[in-house]
Amino acid sequence: MNDGNLSPAARATTRGVCRHLVDRGYAPVTEVTLATGRRVDVMALAPDGSLLVVEVKSCAADYLSDGKWEEYLEYCDAFTFAVPPDFPLDLLPAAEGLIVADAHEAAVLRPPAPRPKLHASRRKAVTHLFATTAACRLRLLLDPPMARVLAEG
Amino acid sequence: MNDGNLSPAARATTRGVCRHLVDRGYAPVTEVTLATGRRVDVMALAPDGSLLVVEVKSCAADYLSDGKWEEYLEYCDAFTFAVPPDFPLDLLPAAEGLIVADAHEAAVLRPPAPRPKLHASRRKAVTHLFATTAACRLRLLLDPPMARVLAEG
């Protein structure tokens, strides 16, 4: 939940993407740690219950140094990259979804690629993880001393 | 999400209950509005995916003036009252769960009554509502100008 490690570009893109998603009825949560220990940049619950993962890449080096995005595909119904306006778009895989965003707005350049729906058991587990992450993080903001309990849990 | 209308006793009890729940691996969210428009005081997602509703009653008058808690039973797997230490306990239905809590800690005087599990479709809908409520509220705290979009939605 601490975005202190994000670059200003990553933070701006993440904010713009989240605004874009909320505007479309999605409920986004940033920095969601999967059961594998991997942390996705943005996970969003769609109005129909499907799960979208957004991988934010702030610059070419950020993309080239990190090939773990493919591991996320089996934890979502849809996947898309999100990058700032000055990102070299040709670097990105042409088959995957693409959003360009600054801190205020976002444009969908390519929709997420069609993908098999998650199995019911996986969807249930990921939705549970998503809900628990959002609720516990919210509680921590509303009652900061809870940090002690959550850290021990 | 605005608890400004809560009495100090209700606020303290709610906080203590949420701490108690987090301590036990539950993810609680306060003031969750159901599809019926009714708002439950605390809804919590258990580690096993079941849904607990906690109805907070701050004083006798609060309990006696409000009979809507029975409507919540069909939206949860388990139900319990939570009251402050000075609440007249004999007022409450003897069959239902009971937690006594102040702002810092809570004690379970009666566990929730056994109840039929929610149907899968209802559980899915309520879990989706819970997750969306938590995620959007969290987003609003992290990005306050989002209030405009959420208010329009």
Side-chain angles (χ1 to χ4, degrees):
Chain A
M1 72 174 295
N2 186 337
D3 70 352
N5 296 326
L6 293 185
S7 68
R11 193 157 31 231
T13 301
T14 300
R15 194 179 87 162
V17 164
C18 286
R19 288 185 172 199
H20 168 86
L21 291 170
V22 171
D23 216 14
R24 280 149 189 80
Y26 284 71
V29 175
T30 62
E31 307 280 337
V32 176
T33 302
L34 300 174
T36 60
R38 292 287 195 196
R39 199 168 58 179
V40 305
D41 294 327
V42 181
M43 181 176 282
L45 187 61
D48 68 357
S50 65
L51 289 156
L52 170 70
V53 163
V54 184
E55 175 79 351
V56 175
K57 292 299 180 195
S58 59
C59 62
D62 185 17
Y63 174 70
L64 293 171
S65 67
D66 171 17
K68 66 184 189 291
W69 63 270
E70 284 173 293
E71 295 178 27
Y72 304 150
L73 298 179
E74 53 188 296
Y75 293 90
C76 62
D77 298 293
F79 173 88
T80 187
F81 286 100
V83 298
D86 61 354
F87 190 97
L89 300 182
D90 290 346
L91 269 187
L92 297 168
E96 303 295 340
L98 176 57
I99 297 174
V100 173
D102 63 16
H104 304 286
E105 54 186 1
V108 176
L109 266 58
R110 277 194 302 270
R115 195 173 297 288
K117 284 278 173 190
L118 288 177
H119 282 286
S121 60
R122 172 63 63 88
R123 182 194 312 287
K124 190 174 164 182
V126 180
T127 303
H128 183 274
L129 176 77
F130 174 92
T132 301
T133 300
C136 287
R137 205 171 287 172
L138 176 64
R139 183 92 313 253
L140 190 56
L141 285 177
L142 297 172
D143 184 10
M146 276 304 314
R148 187 187 45 77
V149 175
L150 287 168
E152 290 165 358
Chain B
M1 72 176 294
N2 186 336
D3 70 352
N5 296 325
L6 293 185
S7 68
R11 191 155 36 230
T13 301
T14 300
R15 194 180 87 164
V17 164
C18 287
R19 289 184 171 198
H20 168 86
L21 291 170
V22 170
D23 216 14
R24 280 149 189 81
Y26 285 70
V29 175
T30 61
E31 307 280 336
V32 176
T33 302
L34 300 174
T36 61
R38 292 288 196 197
R39 199 168 59 178
V40 306
D41 294 326
V42 181
M43 182 176 282
L45 187 61
D48 69 356
S50 65
L51 289 156
L52 169 71
V53 163
V54 183
E55 175 77 352
V56 175
K57 293 300 181 193
S58 59
C59 62
D62 185 18
Y63 174 70
L64 293 171
S65 66
D66 172 16
K68 66 183 188 292
W69 64 270
E70 284 173 292
E71 295 178 28
Y72 304 150
L73 299 179
E74 54 188 295
Y75 293 89
C76 61
D77 299 293
F79 173 89
T80 187
F81 286 101
V83 298
D86 61 353
F87 190 96
L89 301 181
D90 290 346
L91 269 186
L92 296 168
E96 303 296 339
L98 177 56
I99 297 174
V100 173
D102 63 16
H104 304 285
E105 55 187 1
V108 176
L109 265 56
R110 276 194 302 270
R115 194 173 298 287
K117 285 278 173 191
L118 287 177
H119 282 285
S121 60
R122 172 62 63 86
R123 183 195 312 286
K124 189 174 166 184
V126 180
T127 303
H128 183 274
L129 175 77
F130 174 92
T132 301
T133 300
C136 288
R137 204 170 288 173
L138 175 64
R139 182 92 315 252
L140 190 57
L141 285 177
L142 297 173
D143 184 11
M146 277 304 315
R148 186 187 46 75
V149 175
L150 287 168
E152 289 165 358

